[in-house]
Amino acid sequence: MIPKLLGKVGRNWKAKLVSLIIASIFYVNLQNSKVLIKTINVPVDYPKLSGNLNYSKNPEKTIPVRVEGLKDVVNYYSQFMKAVIDPEDVQLGVTEVPIKKIVGVPSGVKVTKLKKTVPVEIESRGLKVVPLEVVFEGAPPPNFEKLTQIVSPQKVTLSGKPQDLEKITKVILPEISLIDKKEPFAKTVRIPDLPKGVSVLGSRDVTVNVNIIPLSYKTGEQTAAGIPIVCSGSDARLDAELSEEQVAIRYFSLKPIRSAQILTGITAQVPCNYIFDPIKNKIIPELQPQVAKVRIIKSKDLKGIEILQISPEKIEIRYKVKEQQNPDSDPTDDGTGMEGPGTVPSDRS
């Protein structure tokens, strides 16, 4: 039986061998048609920079790689691949940073980096705190006057190259119209565009409270609102945030007195006496907020008036450490180039 079987297998063996070879060729071609080799661009994942470091130019967003694998797998997983950079390789200045690895590559897919490094330029950016200046347009109607204005925040922190920051001593806000204004009002304005390369840390919105009062003389019991609260004895390394920025007072005067005299001759103070301990790197005391009593200070011209009520009598104060400035800068310098306000002649009410 076996000889018969061998005879049948050997019959026309040449034709069968040719058929087998042809079938093998078709099979190999079929398998090769499922394998895809192509070049794609994968995004580069750059690390976030800490401190005052910044990418001075937009680094390359992608690098080319060659991928090889089953067609369906390559086409699907290509969208998830990205090149990774080690944060320790990113240094100040211009450097060629190596691409450490390609992530998102599935099993069975081969990836070859066609570019092994990318040029990265890192620069050091400085910080500077400058005051905000308000500009007014026009004037109130007759028998009314603009007395005071409160800008919140009063200063803004800028970030940029040290040589660019040196040229900026203040930021001027857009004009605010006083035409037809007969009573106090508040307006929110936006910090205008700054020179190229200089940016604002935090919000660009600024609130300006403007106090408009009538020109009149009065005696007896009166009220005055819009008296700004100022910090006394604050640590230059801390920012103090007040729960209220203004107070209103009720007072009594035997002599005729203008509202303008009250608002220019009276100061509301709170003691901002928390400090920053650089050794322990914390604010002392640690308990916040601080509850502080508002103290009214009168100028010599207003000694004759009697303060009947302060509203609010107490406010809350929260502290935070100021943004780090340039190492060579004076921590007490506010960027204005001006000395602080002198002592106001006063007595306790």
Side-chain angles (χ1 to χ4, degrees):
M1 183 170 179
I2 293 176
K4 290 182 179 180
L5 181 61
L6 291 176
K8 291 181 179 180
V9 172
R11 189 180 304 163
N12 298 325
W13 65 271
K14 293 183 178 180
K16 291 179 180 178
L17 179 61
V18 171
S19 299
L20 179 61
I21 294 173
I22 294 174
S24 299
I25 293 174
F26 275 110
Y27 178 78
V28 172
N29 288 336
L30 178 62
Q31 294 301 314
N32 287 339
S33 66
K34 296 181 180 180
V35 175
L36 177 65
I37 301 176
K38 70 174 183 178
T39 299
I40 63 172
N41 290 320
V42 297
V44 182
D45 187 18
Y46 291 95
K48 292 183 179 180
L49 300 178
S50 59
N52 60 344
L53 299 181
N54 187 69
Y55 293 101
S56 60
K57 295 181 180 179
N58 291 330
E60 295 181 12
K61 295 182 179 180
T62 62
I63 64 163
V65 297
R66 184 171 64 247
V67 291
E68 180 179 352
L70 293 177
K71 181 177 180 181
D72 293 341
V73 176
V74 167
N75 287 336
Y76 178 74
Y77 281 97
S78 295
Q79 59 184 320
F80 303 114
M81 298 180 190
K82 62 181 179 180
V84 176
I85 288 177
D86 191 333
E88 294 183 357
D89 293 331
V90 179
Q91 301 176 0
L92 190 64
V94 181
T95 54
E96 285 287 335
V97 180
I99 301 295
K100 285 297 179 70
K101 59 181 178 180
I102 307 297
V103 297
V105 180
S107 177
V109 174
K110 180 182 178 182
V111 176
T112 304
K113 292 178 286 187
L114 301 181
K115 188 173 184 180
K116 297 183 178 181
T117 63
V118 288
V120 177
E121 183 174 349
I122 305 295
E123 66 179 4
S124 176
R125 295 178 68 84
L127 298 177
K128 186 175 183 180
V129 178
V130 298
L132 296 172
E133 182 176 302
V134 186
V135 177
F136 294 99
E137 176 190 11
N143 298 323
F144 289 87
E145 66 175 331
K146 180 192 76 67
L147 188 60
T148 59
Q149 70 273 347
I150 297 179
V151 183
S152 179
Q154 297 180 349
K155 299 177 182 179
V156 65
T157 301
L158 304 181
S159 173
K161 294 181 180 179
Q163 58 268 31
D164 294 334
L165 294 178
E166 287 179 2
K167 304 174 186 178
I168 303 176
T169 58
K170 60 184 177 181
V171 174
I172 300 177
L173 299 173
E175 288 186 347
I176 296 177
S177 176
L178 298 177
I179 298 174
D180 296 331
K181 301 294 185 182
K182 297 182 180 180
E183 57 186 20
F185 68 94
K187 185 175 181 64
T188 299
V189 294
R190 192 163 180 81
I191 295 175
D193 292 337
L194 299 172
K196 186 177 180 180
V198 178
S199 59
V200 177
L201 295 186
S203 174
R204 298 177 68 98
D205 291 332
V206 179
T207 301
V208 182
N209 288 278
V210 185
N211 202 359
I212 305 291
I213 62 171
L215 293 171
S216 61
Y217 288 86
K218 294 181 180 179
T219 60
E221 187 176 308
Q222 303 172 57
T223 59
I227 299 173
I229 304 175
V230 296
C231 266
S232 172
S234 57
D235 190 325
R237 293 163 293 189
L238 296 178
D239 277 326
E241 181 181 335
L242 309 182
S243 60
E244 300 286 342
E245 295 184 349
Q246 303 175 349
V247 296
I249 62 170
R250 188 163 58 88
Y251 65 94
F252 179 83
S253 176
L254 292 173
K255 297 180 180 180
I257 190 168
R258 288 176 57 191
S259 299
Q261 289 178 268
I262 293 292
L263 294 177
T264 56
I266 284 185
T267 303
Q269 279 190 0
V270 288
C272 299
N273 48 19
Y274 278 35
I275 62 172
F276 176 72
D277 187 336
I279 298 177
K280 297 181 179 179
N281 193 30
K282 65 180 181 180
I283 300 172
I284 299 177
E286 295 185 44
L287 182 63
Q288 292 204 54
Q290 173 192 4
V291 178
K293 186 176 181 179
V294 179
R295 178 190 175 201
I296 295 297
I297 299 175
K298 301 178 292 185
S299 67
K300 292 182 178 180
D301 297 336
L302 298 177
K303 283 187 176 182
I305 72 168
E306 179 184 359
I307 304 298
L308 303 176
Q309 184 181 9
I310 307 171
S311 180
E313 294 183 348
K314 297 180 180 181
I315 66 168
E316 293 183 350
I317 307 173
R318 294 184 182 273
Y319 298 87
K320 65 179 180 179
V321 181
K322 286 185 177 179
E323 296 284 349
Q324 184 179 0
Q325 305 210 4
N326 295 330
D328 298 332
S329 65
D330 184 348
T332 60
D333 183 14
D334 63 2
T336 63
M338 299 175 62
E339 296 181 356
T343 303
V344 180
S346 60
D347 67 350
R348 190 184 299 269
S349 61

Short mmCIF file of all heavy atoms in Angstrom, two decimals, residues 58-111:
data_model
loop_
_atom_site.label_atom_id
_atom_site.label_comp_id
_atom_site.label_asym_id
_atom_site.label_seq_id
_atom_site.Cartn_x
_atom_site.Cartn_y
_atom_site.Cartn_z
N ASN A 58 10.64 79.28 20.09
CA ASN A 58 9.81 78.09 20.01
C ASN A 58 10.64 76.91 19.52
O ASN A 58 11.12 76.92 18.38
CB ASN A 58 8.63 78.33 19.05
CG ASN A 58 7.65 79.34 19.62
OD1 ASN A 58 7.49 79.43 20.83
ND2 ASN A 58 6.99 80.07 18.74
N PRO A 59 10.83 75.90 20.36
CA PRO A 59 11.63 74.74 19.91
C PRO A 59 10.86 73.92 18.88
O PRO A 59 9.66 74.11 18.68
CB PRO A 59 11.83 73.94 21.21
CG PRO A 59 10.69 74.33 22.08
CD PRO A 59 10.33 75.75 21.73
N GLU A 60 11.60 73.01 18.23
CA GLU A 60 10.97 72.18 17.20
C GLU A 60 9.84 71.36 17.82
O GLU A 60 10.01 70.74 18.87
CB GLU A 60 12.02 71.26 16.58
CG GLU A 60 13.10 72.01 15.82
CD GLU A 60 14.11 71.06 15.18
OE1 GLU A 60 13.83 69.84 15.16
OE2 GLU A 60 15.16 71.53 14.72
N LYS A 61 8.71 71.36 17.15
CA LYS A 61 7.54 70.69 17.69
C LYS A 61 7.54 69.20 17.42
O LYS A 61 6.95 68.41 18.17
CB LYS A 61 6.26 71.33 17.13
CG LYS A 61 6.07 72.76 17.55
CD LYS A 61 4.77 73.33 16.99
CE LYS A 61 4.55 74.76 17.44
NZ LYS A 61 3.30 75.33 16.91
N THR A 62 8.18 68.75 16.32
CA THR A 62 8.18 67.32 15.96
C THR A 62 9.56 66.90 15.48
O THR A 62 10.40 67.74 15.11
CB THR A 62 7.16 67.04 14.84
OG1 THR A 62 7.53 67.78 13.66
CG2 THR A 62 5.76 67.43 15.27
N ILE A 63 9.80 65.57 15.48
CA ILE A 63 11.00 64.99 14.86
C ILE A 63 10.57 63.82 13.98
O ILE A 63 9.55 63.18 14.25
CB ILE A 63 12.01 64.51 15.92
CG1 ILE A 63 11.42 63.37 16.75
CG2 ILE A 63 12.48 65.64 16.80
CD1 ILE A 63 12.47 62.57 17.50
N PRO A 64 11.34 63.51 12.93
CA PRO A 64 10.97 62.39 12.04
C PRO A 64 11.47 61.05 12.61
O PRO A 64 12.57 60.96 13.16
CB PRO A 64 11.69 62.74 10.74
CG PRO A 64 12.87 63.54 11.16
CD PRO A 64 12.46 64.30 12.39
N VAL A 65 10.65 60.03 12.46
CA VAL A 65 11.04 58.67 12.84
C VAL A 65 10.53 57.71 11.77
O VAL A 65 9.56 58.02 11.06
CB VAL A 65 10.47 58.26 14.22
CG1 VAL A 65 11.00 59.13 15.33
CG2 VAL A 65 8.94 58.27 14.21
N ARG A 66 11.21 56.54 11.66
CA ARG A 66 10.76 55.51 10.73
C ARG A 66 10.12 54.39 11.55
O ARG A 66 10.71 53.87 12.50
CB ARG A 66 11.91 54.96 9.90
CG ARG A 66 11.45 53.93 8.84
CD ARG A 66 12.54 53.55 7.87
NE ARG A 66 13.64 52.87 8.52
CZ ARG A 66 14.87 53.39 8.63
NH1 ARG A 66 15.13 54.60 8.14
NH2 ARG A 66 15.83 52.71 9.24
N VAL A 67 8.89 54.03 11.18
CA VAL A 67 8.17 52.99 11.90
C VAL A 67 7.96 51.80 10.96
O VAL A 67 7.74 51.97 9.76
CB VAL A 67 6.81 53.50 12.42
CG1 VAL A 67 7.01 54.51 13.53
CG2 VAL A 67 5.97 54.12 11.31
N GLU A 68 8.03 50.61 11.55
CA GLU A 68 7.89 49.38 10.77
C GLU A 68 7.06 48.39 11.56
O GLU A 68 7.33 48.12 12.73
CB GLU A 68 9.26 48.79 10.46
CG GLU A 68 9.22 47.50 9.66
CD GLU A 68 10.61 46.97 9.36
OE1 GLU A 68 11.60 47.69 9.65
OE2 GLU A 68 10.71 45.84 8.84
N GLY A 69 6.02 47.82 10.92
CA GLY A 69 5.17 46.86 11.59
C GLY A 69 3.94 46.57 10.77
O GLY A 69 3.82 47.02 9.61
N LEU A 70 3.02 45.82 11.35
CA LEU A 70 1.78 45.53 10.64
C LEU A 70 1.05 46.82 10.32
O LEU A 70 0.96 47.73 11.15
CB LEU A 70 0.90 44.61 11.49
CG LEU A 70 1.44 43.19 11.72
CD1 LEU A 70 0.50 42.42 12.63
CD2 LEU A 70 1.64 42.46 10.40
N LYS A 71 0.52 46.89 9.14
CA LYS A 71 -0.05 48.13 8.62
C LYS A 71 -1.10 48.72 9.55
O LYS A 71 -1.05 49.90 9.89
CB LYS A 71 -0.65 47.87 7.23
CG LYS A 71 -1.25 49.10 6.58
CD LYS A 71 -1.76 48.75 5.19
CE LYS A 71 -2.36 49.97 4.51
NZ LYS A 71 -2.88 49.64 3.16
N ASP A 72 -2.06 47.90 9.97
CA ASP A 72 -3.15 48.41 10.79
C ASP A 72 -2.64 48.91 12.15
O ASP A 72 -3.09 49.92 12.67
CB ASP A 72 -4.21 47.34 10.99
CG ASP A 72 -4.95 47.00 9.70
OD1 ASP A 72 -4.89 47.84 8.77
OD2 ASP A 72 -5.56 45.92 9.62
N VAL A 73 -1.66 48.19 12.71
CA VAL A 73 -1.11 48.57 14.02
C VAL A 73 -0.34 49.88 13.91
O VAL A 73 -0.50 50.79 14.73
CB VAL A 73 -0.21 47.45 14.57
CG1 VAL A 73 0.44 47.89 15.89
CG2 VAL A 73 -1.01 46.18 14.77
N VAL A 74 0.48 50.00 12.87
CA VAL A 74 1.28 51.22 12.68
C VAL A 74 0.37 52.43 12.48
O VAL A 74 0.56 53.48 13.09
CB VAL A 74 2.25 51.05 11.50
CG1 VAL A 74 2.85 52.40 11.10
CG2 VAL A 74 3.34 50.06 11.85
N ASN A 75 -0.62 52.28 11.61
CA ASN A 75 -1.50 53.42 11.32
C ASN A 75 -2.29 53.86 12.54
O ASN A 75 -2.55 55.06 12.73
CB ASN A 75 -2.46 53.05 10.19
CG ASN A 75 -1.77 53.00 8.84
OD1 ASN A 75 -0.73 53.64 8.65
ND2 ASN A 75 -2.32 52.23 7.92
N TYR A 76 -2.67 52.93 13.41
CA TYR A 76 -3.47 53.30 14.58
C TYR A 76 -2.62 53.91 15.68
O TYR A 76 -2.97 54.95 16.25
CB TYR A 76 -4.22 52.08 15.11
CG TYR A 76 -5.04 52.38 16.35
CD1 TYR A 76 -6.22 53.10 16.27
CD2 TYR A 76 -4.60 51.95 17.60
CE1 TYR A 76 -6.96 53.39 17.41
CE2 TYR A 76 -5.33 52.23 18.75
CZ TYR A 76 -6.51 52.95 18.64
OH TYR A 76 -7.23 53.23 19.77
N TYR A 77 -1.49 53.27 15.99
CA TYR A 77 -0.71 53.70 17.15
C TYR A 77 0.23 54.87 16.86
O TYR A 77 0.79 55.45 17.79
CB TYR A 77 0.10 52.52 17.71
CG TYR A 77 -0.73 51.58 18.54
CD1 TYR A 77 -1.26 50.42 17.98
CD2 TYR A 77 -1.01 51.86 19.87
CE1 TYR A 77 -2.04 49.55 18.72
CE2 TYR A 77 -1.78 51.01 20.62
CZ TYR A 77 -2.30 49.85 20.05
OH TYR A 77 -3.08 49.02 20.80
N SER A 78 0.39 55.24 15.60
CA SER A 78 1.27 56.38 15.27
C SER A 78 0.81 57.67 15.94
O SER A 78 1.61 58.52 16.32
CB SER A 78 1.33 56.57 13.76
OG SER A 78 1.95 55.47 13.14
N GLN A 79 -0.51 57.82 16.11
CA GLN A 79 -1.05 59.05 16.69
C GLN A 79 -0.72 59.20 18.18
O GLN A 79 -0.81 60.30 18.74
CB GLN A 79 -2.57 59.09 16.51
CG GLN A 79 -3.29 57.91 17.15
CD GLN A 79 -4.77 57.91 16.88
OE1 GLN A 79 -5.41 58.95 16.90
NE2 GLN A 79 -5.32 56.73 16.60
N PHE A 80 -0.32 58.10 18.83
CA PHE A 80 -0.04 58.15 20.27
C PHE A 80 1.46 58.23 20.58
O PHE A 80 1.83 58.35 21.74
CB PHE A 80 -0.62 56.92 20.96
CG PHE A 80 -2.10 56.75 20.75
CD1 PHE A 80 -2.59 55.67 20.02
CD2 PHE A 80 -3.01 57.67 21.25
CE1 PHE A 80 -3.96 55.51 19.81
CE2 PHE A 80 -4.36 57.53 21.05
CZ PHE A 80 -4.85 56.45 20.32
N MET A 81 2.28 58.17 19.59
CA MET A 81 3.73 58.20 19.82
C MET A 81 4.21 59.62 20.06
O MET A 81 3.69 60.58 19.46
CB MET A 81 4.46 57.60 18.61
CG MET A 81 4.14 56.15 18.34
SD MET A 81 5.05 55.53 16.91
CE MET A 81 4.25 53.95 16.65
N LYS A 82 5.20 59.79 20.92
CA LYS A 82 5.82 61.09 21.13
C LYS A 82 7.25 60.92 21.62
O LYS A 82 7.59 59.90 22.24
CB LYS A 82 5.02 61.94 22.11
CG LYS A 82 4.90 61.39 23.51
CD LYS A 82 4.06 62.33 24.37
CE LYS A 82 3.92 61.77 25.78
NZ LYS A 82 3.11 62.69 26.65
N ALA A 83 8.07 61.91 21.31
CA ALA A 83 9.48 61.89 21.72
C ALA A 83 9.61 62.55 23.09
O ALA A 83 9.00 63.59 23.35
CB ALA A 83 10.33 62.62 20.69
N VAL A 84 10.41 61.94 23.95
CA VAL A 84 10.56 62.41 25.33
C VAL A 84 11.98 62.92 25.57
O VAL A 84 12.96 62.31 25.13
CB VAL A 84 10.23 61.28 26.33
CG1 VAL A 84 10.48 61.76 27.77
CG2 VAL A 84 8.78 60.85 26.18
N ILE A 85 12.04 64.08 26.28
CA ILE A 85 13.32 64.69 26.65
C ILE A 85 13.48 64.60 28.16
O ILE A 85 12.53 64.83 28.91
CB ILE A 85 13.37 66.16 26.19
CG1 ILE A 85 13.50 66.23 24.67
CG2 ILE A 85 14.51 66.92 26.85
CD1 ILE A 85 13.47 67.63 24.13
N ASP A 86 14.69 64.30 28.60
CA ASP A 86 14.98 64.25 30.03
C ASP A 86 15.16 65.68 30.54
O ASP A 86 15.98 66.43 30.00
CB ASP A 86 16.26 63.44 30.28
CG ASP A 86 16.47 63.12 31.75
OD1 ASP A 86 15.98 63.89 32.60
OD2 ASP A 86 17.13 62.12 32.06
N PRO A 87 14.40 66.08 31.59
CA PRO A 87 14.54 67.45 32.12
C PRO A 87 15.97 67.79 32.54
O PRO A 87 16.37 68.96 32.47
CB PRO A 87 13.59 67.45 33.32
CG PRO A 87 12.60 66.38 33.03
CD PRO A 87 13.34 65.33 32.28
N GLU A 88 16.76 66.79 32.96
CA GLU A 88 18.13 67.06 33.38
C GLU A 88 19.02 67.47 32.22
O GLU A 88 20.09 68.06 32.43
CB GLU A 88 18.71 65.83 34.07
CG GLU A 88 18.00 65.48 35.39
CD GLU A 88 18.64 64.30 36.07
OE1 GLU A 88 19.58 63.73 35.48
OE2 GLU A 88 18.20 63.95 37.19
N ASP A 89 18.61 67.17 30.98
CA ASP A 89 19.41 67.54 29.81
C ASP A 89 19.14 68.98 29.35
O ASP A 89 19.87 69.49 28.50
CB ASP A 89 19.13 66.58 28.65
CG ASP A 89 19.63 65.18 28.95
OD1 ASP A 89 20.62 65.06 29.70
OD2 ASP A 89 19.04 64.21 28.44
N VAL A 90 18.09 69.60 29.88
CA VAL A 90 17.74 70.97 29.49
C VAL A 90 18.54 71.94 30.36
O VAL A 90 18.37 71.97 31.58
CB VAL A 90 16.23 71.22 29.65
CG1 VAL A 90 15.89 72.65 29.27
CG2 VAL A 90 15.44 70.25 28.79
N GLN A 91 19.41 72.73 29.73
CA GLN A 91 20.29 73.63 30.45
C GLN A 91 20.19 75.04 29.90
O GLN A 91 19.67 75.26 28.80
CB GLN A 91 21.73 73.14 30.38
CG GLN A 91 21.94 71.74 30.95
CD GLN A 91 23.36 71.25 30.78
OE1 GLN A 91 24.20 71.95 30.23
NE2 GLN A 91 23.63 70.03 31.23
N LEU A 92 20.68 75.99 30.70
CA LEU A 92 20.67 77.39 30.29
C LEU A 92 21.56 77.58 29.07
O LEU A 92 22.66 77.02 28.99
CB LEU A 92 21.16 78.26 31.44
CG LEU A 92 21.02 79.78 31.29
CD1 LEU A 92 19.55 80.17 31.20
CD2 LEU A 92 21.68 80.49 32.45
N GLY A 93 21.09 78.35 28.09
CA GLY A 93 21.85 78.60 26.88
C GLY A 93 21.32 77.77 25.72
O GLY A 93 20.21 77.24 25.77
N VAL A 94 22.14 77.65 24.68
CA VAL A 94 21.75 76.88 23.49
C VAL A 94 22.44 75.53 23.54
O VAL A 94 23.67 75.45 23.58
CB VAL A 94 22.14 77.63 22.20
CG1 VAL A 94 21.71 76.84 20.98
CG2 VAL A 94 21.50 79.02 22.18
N THR A 95 21.66 74.46 23.54
CA THR A 95 22.22 73.11 23.60
C THR A 95 21.47 72.18 22.65
O THR A 95 20.32 72.44 22.30
CB THR A 95 22.13 72.53 25.03
OG1 THR A 95 20.77 72.60 25.48
CG2 THR A 95 23.01 73.30 26.00
N GLU A 96 22.16 71.13 22.24
CA GLU A 96 21.54 70.06 21.48
C GLU A 96 21.07 69.00 22.48
O GLU A 96 21.89 68.29 23.07
CB GLU A 96 22.51 69.46 20.46
CG GLU A 96 22.77 70.33 19.25
CD GLU A 96 21.57 70.37 18.29
OE1 GLU A 96 20.78 69.41 18.31
OE2 GLU A 96 21.46 71.35 17.54
N VAL A 97 19.78 68.92 22.67
CA VAL A 97 19.24 68.03 23.69
C VAL A 97 18.90 66.68 23.05
O VAL A 97 18.17 66.63 22.05
CB VAL A 97 17.98 68.64 24.34
CG1 VAL A 97 17.40 67.71 25.39
CG2 VAL A 97 18.31 69.99 24.96
N PRO A 98 19.39 65.58 23.62
CA PRO A 98 19.12 64.26 23.02
C PRO A 98 17.68 63.82 23.25
O PRO A 98 17.07 64.12 24.28
CB PRO A 98 20.09 63.34 23.76
CG PRO A 98 20.35 64.02 25.07
CD PRO A 98 20.28 65.49 24.79
N ILE A 99 17.15 63.10 22.25
CA ILE A 99 15.85 62.45 22.39
C ILE A 99 16.09 61.11 23.08
O ILE A 99 16.69 60.21 22.50
CB ILE A 99 15.18 62.24 21.02
CG1 ILE A 99 15.00 63.57 20.30
CG2 ILE A 99 13.84 61.53 21.19
CD1 ILE A 99 14.06 64.53 20.98
N LYS A 100 15.63 61.00 24.33
CA LYS A 100 15.95 59.79 25.11
C LYS A 100 15.16 58.58 24.62
O LYS A 100 15.71 57.49 24.51
CB LYS A 100 15.68 60.06 26.58
CG LYS A 100 16.75 60.94 27.24
CD LYS A 100 18.11 60.25 27.23
CE LYS A 100 19.21 61.08 27.83
NZ LYS A 100 19.10 61.26 29.27
N LYS A 101 13.88 58.77 24.33
CA LYS A 101 13.08 57.61 23.92
C LYS A 101 11.81 58.07 23.22
O LYS A 101 11.42 59.24 23.30
CB LYS A 101 12.73 56.74 25.13
CG LYS A 101 11.95 57.47 26.21
CD LYS A 101 11.67 56.54 27.39
CE LYS A 101 10.94 57.27 28.51
NZ LYS A 101 10.65 56.38 29.66
N ILE A 102 11.19 57.11 22.54
CA ILE A 102 9.90 57.32 21.90
C ILE A 102 8.89 56.49 22.68
O ILE A 102 9.03 55.28 22.80
CB ILE A 102 9.89 56.90 20.42
CG1 ILE A 102 11.04 57.58 19.65
CG2 ILE A 102 8.55 57.24 19.78
CD1 ILE A 102 10.95 59.08 19.59
N VAL A 103 7.90 57.15 23.23
CA VAL A 103 6.89 56.43 24.03
C VAL A 103 5.62 56.25 23.19
O VAL A 103 5.43 56.92 22.17
CB VAL A 103 6.57 57.19 25.33
CG1 VAL A 103 7.81 57.29 26.22
CG2 VAL A 103 6.01 58.58 25.04
N GLY A 104 4.78 55.33 23.63
CA GLY A 104 3.54 55.05 22.93
C GLY A 104 3.70 54.04 21.80
O GLY A 104 2.82 53.92 20.95
N VAL A 105 4.84 53.32 21.80
CA VAL A 105 5.11 52.34 20.74
C VAL A 105 4.60 50.97 21.19
O VAL A 105 5.03 50.45 22.22
CB VAL A 105 6.62 52.26 20.43
CG1 VAL A 105 6.87 51.25 19.31
CG2 VAL A 105 7.15 53.64 20.05
N PRO A 106 3.70 50.34 20.43
CA PRO A 106 3.16 49.03 20.82
C PRO A 106 4.14 47.90 20.52
O PRO A 106 5.10 48.06 19.75
CB PRO A 106 1.90 48.90 19.98
CG PRO A 106 2.20 49.67 18.75
CD PRO A 106 3.07 50.82 19.19
N SER A 107 3.90 46.73 21.10
CA SER A 107 4.73 45.56 20.85
C SER A 107 4.61 45.14 19.39
O SER A 107 3.52 45.16 18.81
CB SER A 107 4.29 44.41 21.77
OG SER A 107 5.03 43.24 21.49
N GLY A 108 5.75 44.79 18.79
CA GLY A 108 5.75 44.35 17.40
C GLY A 108 6.02 45.45 16.40
O GLY A 108 6.11 45.17 15.20
N VAL A 109 6.12 46.68 16.86
CA VAL A 109 6.41 47.82 15.97
C VAL A 109 7.82 48.31 16.26
O VAL A 109 8.19 48.55 17.42
CB VAL A 109 5.39 48.95 16.16
CG1 VAL A 109 5.79 50.17 15.33
CG2 VAL A 109 4.00 48.48 15.76
N LYS A 110 8.61 48.45 15.22
CA LYS A 110 9.98 48.94 15.35
C LYS A 110 10.04 50.41 14.96
O LYS A 110 9.51 50.81 13.93
CB LYS A 110 10.91 48.12 14.44
CG LYS A 110 12.37 48.55 14.51
CD LYS A 110 13.22 47.73 13.56
CE LYS A 110 14.67 48.19 13.59
NZ LYS A 110 15.50 47.43 12.63
N VAL A 111 10.69 51.22 15.82
CA VAL A 111 10.81 52.66 15.57
C VAL A 111 12.28 53.02 15.53
O VAL A 111 13.05 52.66 16.42
CB VAL A 111 10.10 53.48 16.67
CG1 VAL A 111 10.33 54.97 16.44
CG2 VAL A 111 8.60 53.18 16.68
#
